[in-house]
Amino acid sequence: MNFALYSARAERVELCLFEAKGRREIERIELPERTDHVWHGYLPDARPGQLYAYRVHGPSSAGDRFNAQKTLLDPYARMIVGQVSAGLGRCQVVDSAFSWDNDRPPKTPWQDTILYEAHVKGLTQLHPEVPQQLRGSYAALASPPLIDHFRKLGITALELLPIHTLVDDKRLVQLGLRNYWGYNSIGYFAPDMRYSATGTLGEFKTMVKTLHAAGIEVILDVVYNHTGEGDHHGPTLSFRGIDNQAYYRLKKDNLRLYEDYTGTGNTLNAAHPVVLQLIMDSLRYWVSEMHVDGFRFDLATALARGEFAFEENSSFLCALRQDPTLSQVKLIAEPWDLGEGGYQVSRFPAGWSEWNDRYRDAARSFWKGDEGLIGEMAARLNGSEDLFKASGRGPIASINFVTAHDGFTLHDLVSYGSKHNEANHESNRDGADNNRSWNCGAEGPTENREIVDLRERQKRNLLATLFFSRGVPMLLAGDELGRTQEGNNNAYCHDSELSWVEWGLDAGGRELLEFAVRSIALRKQHSTFCRRNFSKDMTWFAPHGGEMTEADWKLPFARCMGVLLDKDLLLLLNAHDGEIVFHLPHGLWNVEMDTAGKSNDARIEKTYPLQPRSLALLIRPRSSGPARTDG
């Protein structure tokens, strides 16, 4: 094996070898060669399974954090084992051999993609049909019960919360918690072994291969904007002790401190050539060696900053655009960070799709009953043309979502008026306050039948809106089952039943699942919802039957509207507390879906009384027959 480590400022680098359990250092070898700031040496007796780390010696200055007393992880390690958070992580030499057979990426077109955001452990830990020894693992994700669920639901891609080797914050560990979501990476080439039932790389590869065979893509949520080493008080585990001034953005007026555009204490310096190379090498590894199909970039604005500000032609964005491998996979930006000028929705270049929080906020507020939103809601239903058309991008640039890992679940969105994060031990100060949620009349669990029924209808309204909007829909895992986090909207630190998906469904959960299945199937049946480009085939009309006028759009109290798509589909939305009678375009119409629970397949004409807080989808029948004229 050849061992190599970049450090422009180091004076000496030692390779440390460990015995099989990783507790005892058995040999220390000084890397003899240095080429272009890369220290390297060939070890002829190294074999797969060998555990190693580095000790790096260097100068003492304000911007350097060298400490040869600490063993450091290799930024390019393919596997990391041991207690990483305690500074006892060890890199492991691996055998990358694997039989991919005829594995083929599904390459689902963006316009046909339906994302399913999931946590490896959270989705599988409580599934009763998954063998106990596999629960919470990569293997569980590819087990028959999960594959069956994905196929029944109709999703096309799993977007997995971070699976790179991560660090659990010391504060959380002391509280008996952990960094459950995983946004605290330390090893960009190494899948975290806490999600492995077998402790092998082959398990992850088998998962991808099995999902591909089922027609499901695998997209990784990746965190290249910061590392798990935190601020200047944080642990020295890898990058900080290797070359602090290269890997991190430091404050110009005080090199002891870090620029923090991420809210985590540090920001990785993606503008540095060697750091950019690390990111690109990592991404290519996951595509070429692990066969993943794309990436969602956490706080992507931080990666696209120049010296300070976001740049549409930053080194990072340009490198991805010209890369023959990475430019062909799915690229999703979380288009903001926490620094000045960090909100950059619609500013990413062609080839990128973006999490669209404008969609989330509009859908939540509209169905909550806020006034003056019909124009905003119409724009989101049409793929956010107002945001993306000017840059030459289509509806597929918009990743539409109502809920995500960060925030309320769908059930909690309609069951709680405020967050309840006391279990996070931060006095309920953490988590967003502006959730645009509505508890429908009672805070949390209730036996009131009217409130329960309204909540179930609101869930259906939000799901149907999501799947009947142009753009790329993303469903949060468990929302189709009615999962709750008991009002916690920031459950990042709970590796427990609070965050895991509960699969034991009551009647309401089964009905919600069937509704989600039906909604996705209808989306797939009607290509008008899956436009790749913007078109003029949408006609907006008011309940009186006429097209919406400028005055209609400006009515502050208006909370209902209809839209005719491709002349054959009618989507009606009513967020009022009372029934709204819609006058329909001429001809017969089939009621394909009504979230108020009215029977499907009724044939009507002239008018349709849409119940309070409900949505209906009507379709022109292909053959004529008796019609109902009373709605």
Side-chain angles (χ1 to χ4, degrees):
M1 297 295 301
N2 185 67
F3 292 84
L5 187 75
Y6 168 86
S7 180
R9 299 180 61 78
E11 296 172 344
R12 186 158 57 98
V13 175
E14 294 174 312
L15 172 68
C16 305
L17 304 182
F18 296 85
E19 46 80 32
K21 293 184 178 180
R23 297 172 184 168
R24 183 168 56 89
E25 185 178 342
I26 57 176
E27 191 171 0
R28 194 177 301 182
I29 306 166
E30 186 170 332
L31 294 182
E33 303 292 337
R34 186 182 188 188
T35 306
D36 296 332
H37 302 310
V38 176
W39 303 78
H40 58 97
Y42 181 73
L43 194 62
D45 295 330
R47 296 288 184 272
Q50 176 66 61
L51 301 182
Y52 71 98
Y54 291 106
R55 297 183 189 272
V56 182
H57 303 254
S60 176
S61 70
D64 295 316
R65 310 278 289 205
F66 294 109
N67 183 350
Q69 299 301 310
K70 293 183 177 292
T71 56
L72 304 173
L73 298 172
D74 179 359
Y76 279 78
R78 269 41 173 185
M79 184 179 289
I80 297 173
V81 299
Q83 299 176 10
V84 175
S85 301
L88 298 175
R90 307 297 182 224
C91 307
Q92 187 174 64
V93 176
V94 300
D95 180 356
S96 61
F98 181 77
S99 178
W100 284 102
D101 297 324
N102 295 319
D103 178 65
R104 295 288 184 273
K107 291 189 178 295
T108 306
W110 260 125
Q111 65 270 24
D112 298 326
T113 296
I114 298 173
L115 298 167
Y116 188 74
E117 191 195 30
H119 187 281
V120 173
K121 182 176 184 179
L123 184 60
T124 63
Q125 183 67 23
L126 297 179
H127 201 298
E129 297 176 28
V130 174
Q132 185 69 44
Q133 68 273 20
L134 297 183
R135 294 180 189 176
S137 71
Y138 304 117
L141 270 184
S143 64
L146 271 297
I147 296 290
D148 290 345
H149 181 72
F150 301 149
R151 282 176 159 167
K152 175 181 179 179
L153 191 54
I155 60 104
T156 70
L158 272 181
E159 183 177 309
L160 298 179
L161 267 66
I163 56 86
H164 289 163
T165 298
L166 64 102
V167 180
D168 285 308
D169 311 65
K170 182 178 181 180
R171 183 188 70 85
L172 294 179
V173 174
Q174 290 173 340
L175 291 170
L177 304 171
R178 69 189 312 176
N179 200 306
Y180 170 71
W181 284 350
Y183 291 91
N184 218 27
S185 303
I186 197 67
Y188 292 121
F189 292 78
D192 201 303
M193 288 294 104
R194 70 182 67 189
Y195 307 130
S196 177
T198 61
T200 66
L201 293 183
E203 181 179 333
F204 184 93
K205 294 178 179 180
T206 299
M207 175 196 75
V208 174
K209 180 179 174 181
T210 304
L211 288 166
H212 281 180
I216 298 167
E217 294 181 306
V218 178
I219 294 175
L220 300 185
D221 195 333
V222 288
V223 191
Y224 297 109
N225 59 78
H226 74 279
T227 79
E229 292 185 304
D231 63 12
H232 58 289
H233 295 300
T236 297
L237 302 171
S238 180
F239 309 96
R240 172 175 289 151
I242 294 171
D243 195 329
N244 191 55
Q245 295 199 47
Y247 280 109
Y248 293 111
R249 291 178 178 265
L250 307 181
K251 289 188 176 295
K252 303 297 183 184
D253 58 350
N254 188 347
L255 296 179
R256 291 184 62 255
L257 304 179
Y258 296 88
E259 292 287 359
D260 184 10
Y261 300 129
T262 64
T264 63
N266 68 59
T267 305
L268 206 64
N269 187 14
H272 190 287
V274 169
V275 182
L276 178 60
Q277 180 183 356
L278 170 77
I279 295 172
M280 297 295 288
D281 287 348
S282 169
L283 293 169
R284 278 190 292 265
Y285 172 79
W286 287 98
V287 174
S288 301
E289 181 67 27
M290 307 296 262
H291 286 209
V292 304
D293 304 283
F295 305 93
R296 180 265 189 187
F297 292 84
D298 179 62
L299 301 182
T301 297
L303 296 170
R305 287 182 179 269
E307 185 175 1
F308 296 106
F310 172 85
E311 296 178 359
E312 294 181 55
N313 290 310
S314 66
S315 299
F316 169 72
L317 293 176
C318 288
L320 279 169
R321 186 181 307 159
Q322 61 79 40
D323 189 276
T325 297
L326 300 178
S327 63
Q328 301 304 307
V329 302
K330 287 184 166 69
L331 302 174
I332 303 170
E334 183 183 36
W336 50 79
D337 66 15
L338 277 65
E340 184 178 353
Y343 188 77
Q344 297 293 334
V345 170
S346 80
R347 293 283 305 282
F348 279 73
W352 284 80
S353 295
E354 304 176 26
W355 270 30
N356 187 353
D357 64 332
R358 291 276 299 273
Y359 182 96
R360 175 199 64 200
D361 293 348
R364 289 184 175 193
S365 294
F366 177 80
W367 286 114
K368 177 174 173 279
D370 292 350
E371 296 182 344
L373 282 170
I374 56 173
E376 175 80 5
M377 192 67 246
R380 304 306 144 236
L381 286 167
N382 192 27
S384 296
E385 183 175 6
D386 58 327
L387 298 179
F388 298 107
K389 186 175 182 180
S391 61
R393 300 154 75 194
I396 60 173
S398 177
I399 303 297
N400 299 335
F401 64 103
V402 174
T403 57
H405 68 275
D406 187 0
F408 281 138
T409 66
L410 180 64
H411 176 84
D412 291 356
L413 184 65
V414 301
S415 303
Y416 293 90
S418 58
K419 65 187 182 185
H420 296 268
N421 297 356
E422 290 80 7
N424 297 2
H425 298 285
E426 296 182 45
S427 301
N428 206 35
R429 293 189 302 268
D430 64 305
D433 292 310
N434 183 21
N435 296 287
R436 303 176 190 237
S437 62
W438 178 44
N439 63 23
C440 297
E443 189 72 356
T446 179
E447 299 297 323
N448 186 304
R449 191 68 249 172
E450 289 186 4
I451 293 176
V452 171
D453 289 345
L454 177 56
R455 288 176 177 176
E456 292 304 312
R457 191 186 317 159
Q458 287 287 79
K459 292 181 200 176
R460 294 193 292 269
N461 289 335
L462 289 161
L463 286 176
T465 301
L466 176 65
F467 293 117
F468 299 157
S469 298
R470 288 174 177 171
V472 181
M474 183 184 79
L475 179 66
L476 173 63
D479 274 357
E480 76 279 16
L481 308 173
R483 183 174 77 88
T484 179
Q485 289 178 172
E486 300 174 6
N488 192 316
N489 75 346
N490 189 33
Y492 75 101
C493 55
H494 294 283
D495 186 2
S496 67
E497 288 86 351
L498 184 70
S499 295
W500 302 339
V501 173
E502 172 58 60
W503 290 88
L505 299 181
D506 57 16
R510 289 191 293 272
E511 290 176 1
L512 185 63
L513 174 58
E514 292 304 321
F515 182 86
V517 169
R518 175 69 171 151
S519 299
I520 293 175
L522 283 170
R523 177 183 178 87
K524 292 181 176 182
Q525 290 170 18
H526 300 286
S527 60
T528 187
F529 297 127
C530 307
R531 292 278 192 252
R532 184 176 181 84
N533 300 300
F534 294 113
S535 60
K536 300 297 183 182
D537 59 352
M538 301 180 81
T539 304
W540 300 92
F541 64 93
H544 55 65
E547 286 193 36
M548 295 279 285
T549 64
E550 186 174 349
D552 290 328
W553 287 115
K554 293 180 178 179
L555 290 174
F557 57 83
R559 301 199 296 271
C560 62
M561 57 184 169
V563 57
L564 179 65
L565 303 100
D566 279 348
K567 299 181 180 180
D568 290 324
L569 274 76
L570 270 176
L571 186 62
L572 309 177
L573 300 92
N574 175 22
H576 287 280
D577 290 320
E579 175 184 284
I580 298 292
V581 178
F582 278 87
H583 291 259
L584 307 178
H586 178 73
L588 299 177
W589 295 92
N590 279 348
V591 182
E592 196 72 18
M593 173 179 286
D594 189 321
T595 59
K598 298 180 73 172
S599 60
N600 295 338
D601 300 323
R603 187 161 293 185
I604 61 170
E605 63 181 345
K606 296 184 180 179
T607 62
Y608 189 71
L610 191 58
Q611 298 304 297
R613 296 189 182 273
S614 61
L615 172 152
L617 180 66
L618 281 56
I619 301 176
R620 286 192 191 275
R622 294 182 179 178
S623 59
S624 59
R628 287 169 48 191
T629 58
D630 60 354

